[in-house]
Every structure is written in structure tokens, then in C-alpha cells.
Amino acid sequence: MPENPFQSPTCSTDLSHTRLSPTNAVLWRAYLFAPGVAPIAFVLMLVVIFFIAGIFKIDVNPASFLILPVLALTVGLLACYVVAGAIGMPIAFFLRNRGQLNGYTIHGAALAWAIVFCGVISSLSIRGGPQQALVAFAYLMCGVAPPVLVSGSAFWILVRNHRQG
């Protein structure tokens, strides 16, 4: 394919580098759907874990298979919308105003929030010392970071595709 003479050689065609300047309506529309992805991803992750545990004959508390998904889809869903509205949307508006709203900044902000959340929860809930707090942090990150990043991806896809569509 011939090079475009009207495009800067430093300009990337990679969509993750694309900086967007979406309208307020586009950002709020993405907010309506993206936070709900995290609890759904968490429940799917639990189903996979319980399925794998069943294959390898690992003993799993059956009550947790019922309680954790219910908590994720009730309390977790509400918490995701509150956090996304109170923390995520101001960050998205700030990044858009600075011309830095892209896939890297959205995922970076989501990962930073997951790290801060897991750090605070593990340090407040564990009294056994730094080693136990670190183990709790690692467990929390395994459960929190993937759904939060998937939710950030959903937000990015919704915002990006609106621009292309």
C-alpha cells in the first residue's frame, strides 16, 4: 500500500494511540454501559474458576458459588457505577479536555484505581503484618483488576466506535 503523502510520518494508525475528543453525550452514553461490564466479567471469571476447580477436584465452598455472584451483581454493580461516576468520568473529561483521551490513558486510569483500591482494602483489613497484607493485595488484584480493565476496555470501545460509526 503506498504511503499517504498528506499524513505525518510520526502519526500512528494504531487505534490505541488515537486521541479522541468525544462530546459529553458520547462519554455519558459510554458510562451507561461500561461500568456494568465489570461485575459481569467478575461473575464469568468465578464461573470459569469454579469449573476449573471441578475438573481438578479442588474443594470449593458451594455457598460461595451462590453468594459471590449475587453480591457482584447487586452491591458490585452499584459500586461500579458510583466509582465510575465519581472517579472515572471526571478523569475522562479531564483527559478529553487535555487532548489525551486514548486507550492507554483509559486503561492506565482503570489500573491505577484498581491498585489504589486493593492497596487500601488490603492494608485496612489485614492486621497480621506486611506479608499478609501483600498476599491479600495480590488476591484482591487477581479478582479486581481484570474486571476493571475489561470495563475500561468497554468504555474505550464505546467511545472509539462512536467516532468511527
Side-chain angles (χ1 to χ4, degrees):
M1 175 185 318
E3 291 187 8
N4 184 353
F6 301 106
Q7 183 177 11
S8 167
T10 60
C11 182
S12 173
T13 57
D14 181 14
L15 289 178
S16 61
H17 289 288
T18 304
R19 289 185 175 91
L20 301 178
S21 185
T23 64
N24 289 348
V26 170
L27 289 177
W28 285 113
R29 200 169 307 126
Y31 168 76
L32 286 176
F33 298 104
V37 172
I40 293 168
F42 181 77
V43 169
L44 291 175
M45 193 171 66
L46 286 176
V47 169
V48 168
I49 289 170
F50 284 115
F51 180 71
I52 291 172
I55 290 174
F56 291 107
K57 307 283 191 255
I58 299 171
D59 190 27
V60 177
N61 183 352
S64 65
F65 185 69
L66 296 173
I67 293 170
L68 288 175
V70 169
L71 284 175
L73 294 175
T74 55
V75 177
L77 186 65
L78 177 63
C80 288
Y81 275 98
V82 169
V83 168
I87 296 171
M89 289 306 288
I91 290 172
F93 285 117
F94 174 75
L95 291 171
R96 182 205 51 196
N97 291 341
R98 293 196 61 195
Q100 296 178 340
L101 186 65
N102 61 46
Y104 293 124
T105 57
I106 289 172
H107 288 92
L111 184 60
W113 175 85
I115 290 169
V116 168
F117 174 78
C118 292
V120 168
I121 296 299
S122 64
S123 66
L124 292 177
S125 63
I126 303 299
R127 302 191 191 277
Q131 287 180 333
Q132 287 181 343
L134 186 60
V135 169
F137 175 78
Y139 277 119
L140 283 170
M141 281 299 290
C142 289
V144 171
V148 169
L149 289 172
V150 168
S151 185
S153 295
F155 184 83
W156 170 241
I157 289 168
L158 290 168
V159 170
R160 184 188 73 198
N161 285 345
H162 184 275
R163 177 181 169 264
Q164 292 176 347

